[in-house]
Amino acid sequence: MKPFVNFIPTKLYFGAGQLGMLGTIPLPGKKALIVITSGKSMRSSGTLDRVEKLLAHNNVGCAVYDKVQANPTREQVM
């Protein structure tokens, strides 16, 4: 393997109540991609709707990709 350097400064918000921060913290862009599994829990629990609303409150548009399955094929990943 050829040597490389990867620098990705990332903040991780973790714990009770931290999802609400998504609507107020400065974000690095104005578009977001939400990647979830093909299951139904994110939608049925209202979490996906909440994330979309928080992003909109922060003036960030989003697209949802909900086709991720267990052991995805190369085509699904691409």
Side-chain angles (χ1 to χ4, degrees):
M1 178 187 284
K2 294 182 179 182
F4 66 92
V5 175
N6 192 6
F7 176 70
I8 305 174
T10 303
K11 287 185 181 179
L12 177 64
Y13 292 81
F14 180 82
Q18 293 301 298
L19 183 58
M21 298 293 292
L22 190 56
T24 60
I25 59 173
L27 297 173
K30 294 296 178 191
K31 295 180 183 178
L33 175 61
I34 302 170
V35 180
I36 60 175
T37 66
S38 59
K40 305 213 183 303
S41 63
M42 287 289 290
R43 291 185 195 281
S44 64
S45 69
T47 303
L48 179 59
D49 186 51
R50 184 173 174 208
V51 168
E52 290 175 312
K53 286 179 182 176
L54 287 166
L55 287 170
H57 180 74
N58 210 345
N59 298 314
V60 175
C62 65
V64 176
Y65 181 77
D66 59 359
K67 310 273 188 273
V68 178
Q69 298 179 3
N71 302 312
T73 65
R74 176 178 164 81
E75 289 77 24
Q76 290 171 334
V77 172
M78 299 312 279

